[in-house]
Amino acid sequence: MLLEALVFGLWSLTLKNMQLFDVYPLNDIEITKAAGSNVWDANGQKYLDLYGGHAVISIGHTNPHYVGRLTDQLSKVGFYSNSVKIPLQVQLAKKLGEVSGKKDFQLFLCNSGAEANENALKLASFYNSRKKVIAFTGAFHGRTSLAVAVTDNPKIVAPVNQTENVIFLPHNNEVALEETFKAQGNEICAVIIEGIQGVGGIKEASKSFLQKIRSLCNEHNAVYIADSVQCGYGRTGLFYSHDWAGVEADVYTMAKGMGNGFPVAGIAIAPKFKPWHGELGTTFGGNHLACAAALAVLEVMEKDNLIKNAEEVGNYLIAELKKFEQVKEVRGRGLMIGIELPEELAHVKKELLFKHFIFTGEAKPNVIRLLPALNLTRALADEFLGAFKKLVK
Ligand SMILES: Cc1ncc(COP(=O)(O)O)c(C=O)c1O
């Protein structure tokens, strides 16, 4: 017995702990507390968060109404599947229709941006029974099968995701778009486009390009999918950044800001799409907690007029940043801002974080991305501008 225990003890010593699958280059920071536009690390150091964990924190960290609504919901029912009525989903659809100005649209709920795009493309293909999708250079639509196939980054497209059904065209090139529709219009299922490319470096689709997509989709019965996962949810001063073009898409996909950190995503679907049972589906999508989180976000956005704040503080930041002659270009709208820096200022992003304790995002090669909560104050914007000024001098 004793021998057996000894052998077992020695054997278990040789076992290793399970490791994380190492796919993320990490900053050596652990966040242990968060409130509004600030986070604190394990050593108590305070940071200004202009990244929002990648455009996710829309109403600020640990917003009291949000925490209250989620806590309250958790103590009642956290989850039940889509096999029963979930009135919170109906409330969410109503509120989303009101805040986004698309009351006649329908809502399908899922869990992530990629999943939203995947469902939107599938819906389009069911609708017109076609296969070809037009996507654009610089696009990022997610990492699942079809979402990654319409993403312009061959490095993350696995052989199994490769398909001949995707046509990549140059971004904002109306001639290329027209020619493609002219040549194969009756095969085009959908056009998918971000209102402002996020991962691609904060590059806005021009109004006339979005208008052209609308008219060509109308002409050829193709589906216009507005990927609003990063640029939507009020970030640019209108609910969907595509709204700036003054035309309506057929399907809007959304995720990041929708749940302020709780995983919830959705697609808003034009009335012409008629659903049938089993067409789309998900286990977790639209669960009670997800709906409570999404409702809390919309309630705070409405009550605190956050879309307007995003536009005002965003315009202020953009105008101030444009005054720096060291900056190559300032792009974006509202609180979705890209600051393109020359090579010699490539160090600024890291120094903002480690010298001035300000989180920002990045895009290759030298773009700093600002994606803060929509209730960022002017005072905090000034705090960033002060630090930025010191670093680019
Ligand atoms: C425009 C856009 N679409 C889709 C996605 C994918 O979202 P998720 O990571 O939630 O799958 C992202 C993520 O960054 C995105 O920026």
Side-chain angles (χ1 to χ4, degrees):
M1 257 327 250
L2 195 65
L3 188 67
E4 251 174 48
L6 197 68
V7 170
F8 180 76
L10 283 172
W11 174 74
S12 35
L13 273 180
T14 65
L15 281 183
K16 281 188 182 158
N17 288 329
M18 188 173 189
Q19 300 292 305
L20 294 174
F21 197 56
D22 187 13
V23 287
Y24 300 113
L26 300 177
N27 288 310
D28 188 15
I29 297 171
E30 184 196 353
I31 292 171
T32 52
K33 189 177 119 179
S37 286
N38 290 111
V39 296
W40 286 258
D41 70 16
N43 303 318
Q45 175 63 53
K46 185 180 181 185
Y47 296 76
L48 172 59
D49 184 12
L50 299 187
Y51 177 53
H54 208 76
V56 165
I57 299 302
S58 48
I59 59 165
H61 293 278
T62 57
N63 174 285
H65 176 68
Y66 174 86
V67 173
R69 218 182 196 294
L70 267 169
T71 313
D72 185 48
Q73 187 59 48
L74 187 59
S75 62
K76 288 183 191 146
V77 48
F79 172 83
Y80 206 79
S81 84
N82 284 302
S83 61
V84 296
K85 282 186 183 171
I86 302 178
L88 282 167
Q89 293 183 352
V90 181
Q91 285 172 36
L92 174 57
K94 182 170 180 287
K95 178 68 77 202
L96 181 67
E98 284 162 10
V99 179
S100 67
K102 313 241 177 268
K103 286 189 185 170
D104 56 344
F105 275 51
Q106 309 153 82
L107 177 64
F108 175 75
L109 290 161
C110 52
N111 311 285
S112 70
E115 207 189 322
N117 285 328
E118 200 79 31
N119 278 298
L121 289 161
K122 203 168 167 181
L123 179 77
S125 181
F126 275 133
Y127 173 74
N128 55 22
S129 306
R130 297 179 187 164
K131 293 183 182 174
K132 300 258 184 228
V133 177
I134 294 179
F136 299 100
T137 49
F140 185 91
H141 298 294
R143 289 167 180 271
T144 57
S145 179
L146 197 48
V148 83
V150 291
T151 287
D152 182 21
N153 181 357
K155 208 173 144 197
I156 60 167
V157 180
V160 74
N161 305 129
Q162 285 163 5
T163 164
E164 286 174 1
N165 289 330
V166 180
I167 303 166
F168 278 102
L169 296 180
H171 192 233
N172 276 338
N173 185 325
E174 292 174 38
V175 177
L177 188 67
E178 266 171 358
E179 279 170 1
T180 308
F181 266 100
K182 206 166 159 194
Q184 20 185 344
N186 58 355
E187 289 177 71
I188 308 291
C189 164
V191 178
I192 184 165
I193 184 163
E194 295 156 82
I196 300 178
Q197 291 185 339
V199 176
I202 313 294
K203 303 222 173 105
E204 188 165 11
S206 73
K207 283 186 189 178
S208 66
F209 194 57
L210 296 179
Q211 288 162 358
K212 181 64 73 184
I213 291 175
R214 179 65 282 166
S215 66
L216 287 168
C217 283
N218 283 350
E219 212 178 300
H220 297 273
N221 193 32
V223 176
Y224 170 4
I225 301 173
D227 181 337
S228 305
V229 167
Q230 187 168 150
C231 60
Y233 245 77
R235 176 159 296 285
T236 66
L238 287 179
F239 194 82
Y240 298 117
S241 76
H242 298 75
D243 290 345
W244 290 103
V247 288
E248 199 157 73
D250 296 309
V251 182
Y252 296 86
T253 64
M254 63 206 85
K256 295 186 188 292
M258 191 173 184
N260 202 47
F262 195 96
V264 51
I267 59 178
I269 305 164
K272 70 179 179 190
F273 295 87
K274 306 291 175 219
W276 42 271
H277 285 177
E279 184 181 11
L280 305 175
T282 156
T283 298
F284 294 118
N287 69 71
H288 296 71
L289 276 178
C291 289
L295 273 163
V297 166
L298 290 175
E299 284 155 2
V300 172
M301 275 175 70
E302 227 181 9
K303 187 173 130 303
D304 296 348
N305 225 345
L306 294 194
I307 301 184
K308 191 151 196 309
N309 187 69
E311 186 179 14
E312 283 172 5
V313 179
N315 281 348
Y316 169 69
L317 263 172
I318 290 170
E320 290 301 308
L321 284 164
K322 281 190 172 164
K323 292 181 187 162
F324 287 95
E325 58 192 27
Q326 304 91 326
V327 169
K328 263 173 118 176
E329 197 178 9
V330 182
R331 296 189 289 267
R333 260 183 201 277
L335 289 175
M336 181 167 187
I337 302 171
I339 310 163
E340 181 155 352
L341 294 173
E343 182 57 38
E344 63 270 21
L345 290 178
H347 55 91
V348 169
K349 186 184 176 298
K350 270 229 141 39
E351 291 183 355
L352 275 168
L353 180 58
F354 291 106
K355 284 195 179 153
H356 294 270
F357 306 107
I358 300 176
F359 273 100
T360 59
E362 68 182 328
K364 302 273 177 288
N366 274 328
V367 181
I368 291 179
R369 271 195 290 169
L370 305 184
L371 301 161
L374 308 190
N375 49 9
L376 184 77
T377 60
R378 207 155 149 151
L380 290 179
D382 282 334
E383 189 180 318
F384 163 73
L385 289 167
F388 187 75
K389 190 173 178 181
K390 283 188 194 142
L391 291 175
V392 298
K393 247 187 185 166

